[in-house]
Amino acid sequence: MPDQSAATAPALPSTPSPLPVTVLGLGAMGSALAAATAEAGHPTTVWNRTAGRADALVAAGAREATSVRDAVGSSPLVVAVLLDHASVHETLGPVADALAGRTLVDLVTTTPEESRELAAWATSHGIDYLDGGIMAVPAMIGGPGSEVLYSGSRAVFDAARPVLDTWGESTWLGEDPGLAPLYDLALLAGMYAMFAGFFHGVAMVGTAGVSATDFARRAAPWLVAMTSGLADYADVIDRRDYGGPGQQSLEFSDPSDMVRASEEAGLATDVVAAVQALVRRQVDAGHGADGFARAVESIRTDTTRTHTAGGTR
Ligand SMILES: NC(=O)c1ccc[n+]([C@@H]2O[C@H](COP(=O)([O-])OP(=O)(O)OC[C@H]3O[C@@H](n4cnc5c(N)ncnc54)[C@H](OP(=O)(O)O)[C@@H]3O)[C@@H](O)[C@H]2O)c1
């Protein structure tokens, strides 16, 4: 992992409000973020690869840059909201010299290693760096429930707060720039697996003519109620105490009946078969009487580190 200590003295002024900011990328998310900073009174410069997406923001008080170089040179704080990691390098590589001495906040969804690589690239060019993972959809930006997770230099995070806080709750997770994307993707893994399970349930009841809308009315409160079990599973996992009392066993949790019912109905079994595979690996290794939470051991490796990290706001 690269040494981030060089990025501890942020280029941003200490009490900058309003704080000039540049937003690169005016897709759904970039437009929402730029609208929030402009509305909050921060001088906002915007740039998008394809012309014609800045009109509403210009009407709201933002300035449209004529080029990427103009954009990054217009503000001490530059926010990337482009498509992916490759598009960030493609866009910023040619203007790294203009970014030197400024702060780059990368809100693009990346892997932890991609973020660490970008942080190292930034440091090598004299650019302060902060990584961010947006836990919201564009319509939520600036409103209740919107949270953005950050990692990288704490000093850079603190200096950028006047702008960051216009988007929602700002939470700093640690100096390792890979932490924000790690949490981001871990939370998305839980979300996507839950939605896939819901889709499987929709397909199952659909074989009896039940609409997805009717099923959702039952599924939503059921899934919400089940999330109360997460803390108990977490406690067992952190202590690796899968044999403790009161746990539903792996043998009892085996979803073979869900797989069989799906097969009988002619449905694809990918979702439930994936859960079954996690359970089976532990049962086959002789742990069938242990609790269901032991299924996590089918996923992780011996190198998994367990620590408590809540983040700070
Ligand atoms: N939307 C969400 O709910 C959400 C939530 C959390 C995180 N995010 C993350 O936020 C980022 C932006 O998402 P979005 O929803 O705004 O996506 P989007 O609507 O598809 O917009 C993508 C943006 O990236 C630009 N772009 C694509 N390839 C490029 C390239 N090679 N060089 C320069 N610019 C390029 C596009 O410019 P053009 O107009 O020229 O194509 C556009 O401005 C993504 O990393 C996404 O994962 C989004």
Side-chain angles (χ1 to χ4, degrees):
M1 189 173 54
D3 176 12
Q4 292 306 303
S5 57
T8 51
L12 298 177
S14 53
T15 52
S17 197
L19 173 57
V21 56
T22 287
V23 176
L24 304 174
L26 300 179
M29 186 52 86
S31 295
L33 298 173
T37 61
E39 189 183 333
H42 297 293
T44 301
T45 300
V46 295
W47 173 86
N48 194 61
R49 177 183 62 175
T50 306
R53 299 191 80 166
D55 295 351
L57 289 163
V58 169
R63 182 183 84 83
E64 184 174 14
T66 54
S67 65
V68 188
R69 183 168 288 279
D70 173 23
V72 302
S74 297
S75 312
L77 178 59
V78 176
V79 182
V81 205
L82 305 171
L83 183 66
D84 56 15
H85 184 63
S87 64
V88 175
H89 273 303
E90 195 180 310
T91 302
L92 296 182
V95 296
D97 59 315
L99 258 181
R102 304 175 194 276
T103 290
L104 171 64
V105 178
D106 183 36
L107 297 181
V108 172
T109 304
T110 54
T111 69
E113 285 307 319
E114 287 170 343
S115 292
R116 291 173 187 131
E117 186 276 327
L118 190 62
W121 174 85
T123 300
S124 72
H125 287 86
I127 302 162
D128 288 335
Y129 182 83
L130 191 66
D131 206 282
I134 306 169
M135 306 315 298
V137 296
M140 292 167 66
I141 294 301
S146 172
E147 183 180 25
V148 184
L149 307 175
Y150 296 96
S151 57
S153 164
R154 174 77 206 203
V156 169
F157 171 75
D158 288 337
R161 285 295 286 271
V163 161
L164 308 185
D165 289 350
T166 66
W167 299 326
E169 192 85 53
S170 308
T171 302
W172 181 80
L173 296 169
E175 296 279 338
D176 172 5
L179 277 175
L182 183 66
Y183 271 69
D184 183 0
L185 297 178
L187 289 165
L188 290 177
M191 184 192 82
Y192 275 104
M194 178 192 71
F195 284 140
F198 169 70
F199 298 153
H200 190 84
V202 165
M204 288 182 79
V205 297
T207 63
V210 178
S211 72
T213 302
D214 277 348
F215 183 63
R217 282 195 199 99
R218 290 184 185 281
W222 165 252
L223 291 173
V224 169
M226 289 302 98
T227 60
S228 66
L230 293 181
D232 288 339
Y233 283 133
D235 180 53
V236 165
I237 292 166
D238 282 342
R239 291 185 293 108
R240 294 199 160 168
D241 180 24
Y242 306 116
Q247 299 184 48
Q248 178 179 305
S249 74
L250 276 157
E251 269 159 355
F252 185 84
S253 308
D254 187 330
S256 294
D257 42 7
M258 292 170 235
V259 174
R260 270 199 330 279
S262 302
E263 285 169 347
E264 286 169 9
L267 303 175
T269 59
D270 308 60
V271 174
V272 281
V275 181
Q276 184 184 44
L278 300 179
V279 170
R280 283 270 171 87
R281 283 216 285 281
Q282 295 304 312
V283 172
D284 291 348
H287 304 300
D290 280 358
F292 176 48
R294 193 183 181 103
V296 71
E297 302 295 343
S298 294
I299 300 169
R300 66 187 184 181
T301 67
D302 287 345
T303 58
T304 301
R305 288 164 296 171
T306 300
H307 66 103
T308 304
T312 54
R313 299 193 156 103

